[in-house]
Amino acid sequence: MADDSEAPRNRRERRAAAKSSSQPIAPPTKAPNIKMAHPDRSGPKGKTLLDLYEEKKDLLSQGQPFDPKHLDGAVRDEGGNILTAGLGSPDDEPIGVFGEAVFWSVCLAMFHFTMDVLTFNQYRQEIVWGPIWKRTFTVLPVLWLLVYLTRSKLAQRWQVARQVFFLGVAVAAGCYTIHVGNNFAYYAVMKQAPPLGTLWVWSVIEMQLPYAAASVVPVVAFLYFNGYAVF
């Protein structure tokens, strides 16, 4: 054991040992110092791809090449283990409530801007861009706050109450928008139609499909029984 521990372990130590012992270093040989042997020709020790194919051929012909447990849509590694690192619930939004509020408030502010321009154009008024941009940027933080509060975790706990709230907002905003457009002067329509229309669209977006469909009924009834026109 002592000889093994004192033996040179690398080229540098071998050169130093040869120099101290005054013995020349053996020149390298062309033949590698590797034990020569024939390869194992006895055949594969495990299953080959052909063997696996023969086992799964019936399932392949039936269109079911995979184990049923792998049909759940989960992300798995090569061993079939479900990978959960970095994956949240499918219902979780990756940008969070704050990001959702930013996204939807910007979209709704763009809609408000479009409605503002359309009302000016409807009455053939010259479009004054300064006040329109000012109103758009004024309503943007208000929209962000509304979206953030109604999409918070606290609001999500009361889904039925949340849906009923948006149903009431949609009906009220829709009916009053129709009332303003049919009874008020053009200046009042230009001022009130964009925020009312934005509020109406936002409330419909936030509702589930049954509630959104139900909100149309009272608005159409209000339009019909009062003899109002849409255009």
Side-chain angles (χ1 to χ4, degrees):
M1 294 298 293
D3 294 340
D4 293 341
S5 61
E6 295 177 359
R9 292 171 296 179
N10 51 44
R11 190 156 120 191
R12 182 178 178 183
E13 291 183 359
R14 287 196 298 272
R15 286 181 177 275
K19 187 175 181 181
S20 62
S21 62
S22 301
Q23 294 180 359
I25 301 174
T29 58
K30 293 183 178 180
N33 189 18
I34 301 175
K35 183 179 179 181
M36 308 297 289
H38 289 283
D40 185 5
R41 295 188 175 90
S42 60
K45 299 297 187 294
K47 292 183 179 180
T48 64
L49 291 176
L50 290 175
D51 296 333
L52 294 174
Y53 170 75
E54 290 295 333
E55 293 178 359
K56 299 292 184 179
K57 185 164 60 175
D58 294 337
L59 290 176
L60 287 169
S61 63
Q62 299 172 12
Q64 299 177 350
F66 304 109
D67 194 312
K69 72 178 182 180
H70 295 157
L71 301 178
D72 54 3
V75 181
R76 300 174 182 270
D77 60 10
E78 295 179 356
N81 301 314
I82 298 178
L83 299 176
T84 58
L87 300 177
S89 171
D91 298 328
D92 293 340
E93 290 290 342
I95 59 176
V97 179
F98 181 87
E100 288 180 6
V102 171
F103 173 78
W104 284 110
S105 60
V106 171
C107 293
L108 292 170
M110 293 169 61
F111 179 80
H112 183 280
F113 176 86
T114 304
M115 288 282 293
D116 220 343
V117 174
L118 289 177
T119 52
F120 267 86
N121 187 64
Q122 179 182 358
Y123 294 104
R124 288 181 169 83
Q125 300 295 315
E126 181 182 357
I127 299 177
V128 184
W129 295 104
I132 292 178
W133 282 110
K134 182 179 179 180
R135 285 192 291 270
T136 301
F137 285 109
T138 301
V139 80
L140 180 61
V142 177
L143 290 171
W144 179 88
L145 182 62
L146 288 174
V147 175
Y148 183 83
L149 292 176
T150 54
R151 285 178 172 254
S152 63
K153 292 183 178 179
L154 180 61
Q156 295 294 342
R157 295 178 184 175
W158 307 90
Q159 278 295 330
V160 176
R162 183 175 179 272
Q163 295 298 310
V164 172
F165 168 77
F166 283 117
L167 176 63
V169 172
V171 172
C175 293
Y176 193 68
T177 301
I178 295 172
H179 175 72
V180 169
N182 283 270
N183 293 288
F184 288 17
Y186 76 93
Y187 187 76
V189 175
M190 290 167 58
K191 289 291 185 181
Q192 298 187 44
L196 285 172
T198 304
L199 194 63
W200 188 5
V201 170
W202 168 61
S203 58
V204 173
I205 290 173
E206 293 288 352
M207 282 188 289
Q208 298 172 359
L209 183 58
Y211 289 92
S215 69
V216 177
V217 177
V219 175
V220 173
F222 178 82
L223 176 69
Y224 177 77
F225 287 110
N226 288 279
Y228 290 143
V230 179
F231 300 104

